[in-house]
Amino acid sequence: MSDTTSHEPAQAEAAHRTSRAGRPDRVTVAVYAADPVLRVGIVHQLRQRPEVDLVDDADAERAEVSLVVVDTVGDDVVALLHRLRHNNATRTGLVIGTLGAGALQRVIECGVAAVLRRAEAEQDRLLSLVLAIANGEGVLPGDLLGKLLSHVGNLQRSVLDPGGLSLSTLTTREADMLRLVSEGLDTAEIARKTSYSERTVKNVLHEIITRLQLRNRAHAVGYALRNGLI
């Protein structure tokens, strides 16, 4: 091995040797970036690595790995990712500036196999990303994985129980009144304790029951207690 590869991370080098046995030694990579400055930066770093064979635009569709380099995810990026997803010859990685949980789920649904923040896209990290994608692996920063799991969990709860009662769906006043109902207070007692009129108390509790599609106050209290909300 020449001196130019002596600084390759041992783990990436081992993965490269193991999974690519019997195949060409270099991973063909196409770089997609609307911003020419972003493209030049990524291309410059990868071009220095003998493990990577950067292809020109004419051969981009045949690249093993497609790297999409962007600031944020917009409709144009999603359209590109959808197009790449239908190309069976390539697997896609995303190098991005900022990415929220909702956008993360969106790009994964578009077939993105790996994500790397642009701020972390130094040469060795880029190489590891490319080799992982070529080896069929998925790569996702730990904090983004946590956000994705949380986001998916929220979506599942919304689908399974769209009328689900949670403190985030109640105002402070609504939560306080529902807790007082759970303690056995009637409308007049709740009004005195909260300094609201009895009419306001009735309207607030009616709004909770109607919005969350419950039957009555007892149903609302029981639901909240079963879910550990009060």
Side-chain angles (χ1 to χ4, degrees):
M1 184 176 296
S2 66
D3 291 341
T4 58
T5 61
S6 60
H7 60 290
E8 177 179 348
Q11 183 177 0
E13 182 179 8
H16 178 65
R17 287 198 307 267
T18 301
S19 64
R20 303 192 59 76
R23 299 172 60 191
D25 289 336
R26 305 176 74 191
V27 180
T28 53
V29 178
V31 177
Y32 297 83
D35 185 335
V37 175
L38 297 182
R39 178 185 174 86
V40 168
I42 298 298
V43 167
H44 174 73
Q45 295 197 69
L46 291 178
R47 182 165 286 157
Q48 301 177 49
R49 303 309 299 250
E51 303 91 345
V52 173
D53 180 16
L54 287 167
V55 300
D56 55 28
D57 292 344
D59 294 321
E61 295 294 327
R62 294 193 291 273
E64 294 174 81
V65 174
S66 296
L67 285 185
V68 177
V69 188
V70 294
D71 283 318
T72 58
V73 175
D75 291 340
D76 55 338
V77 175
V78 171
L80 172 60
L81 294 176
H82 272 299
R83 179 168 66 83
L84 293 172
R85 182 180 187 179
H86 290 93
N87 178 4
N88 294 328
T90 194
R91 298 186 79 241
T92 305
L94 183 68
V95 181
I96 190 164
T98 58
L99 185 65
L104 176 59
Q105 183 184 15
R106 193 179 184 191
V107 300
I108 289 177
E109 290 171 350
C110 291
V112 170
V115 175
L116 180 66
R117 288 190 178 89
R118 280 213 342 259
E120 301 170 349
E122 45 85 22
Q123 190 179 107
D124 285 341
R125 294 289 295 275
L126 278 172
L127 177 62
S128 294
L129 185 78
V130 166
L131 296 182
I133 295 171
N135 293 338
E137 301 169 9
V139 179
L140 196 61
D143 65 308
L144 289 183
L145 177 59
K147 289 180 181 179
L148 177 64
L149 293 175
S150 176
H151 183 67
V152 171
N154 289 337
L155 288 178
Q156 289 176 333
R157 286 191 291 274
S158 176
V159 170
L160 294 175
D161 188 9
L165 180 63
S166 70
L167 291 180
S168 63
T169 65
L170 301 176
T171 66
T172 300
R173 182 172 67 173
E174 289 172 337
D176 288 343
M177 288 189 183
L178 195 56
R179 289 189 184 95
L180 292 174
V181 172
S182 73
E183 294 171 4
L185 278 65
D186 60 21
T187 300
E189 291 171 325
I190 294 173
R192 287 195 298 271
K193 198 168 186 68
T194 60
S195 298
Y196 289 109
S197 68
E198 292 187 28
R199 181 174 180 177
T200 297
V201 171
K202 290 179 181 178
N203 288 340
V204 169
L205 293 174
H206 178 73
E207 166 63 21
I208 296 172
I209 292 166
T210 302
R211 189 173 73 243
L212 300 175
Q213 300 178 7
L214 302 171
R215 293 188 300 275
N216 48 44
R217 295 185 187 186
H219 188 197
V221 169
Y223 193 98
L225 288 172
R226 283 195 303 274
N227 287 275
L229 300 175
I230 58 174

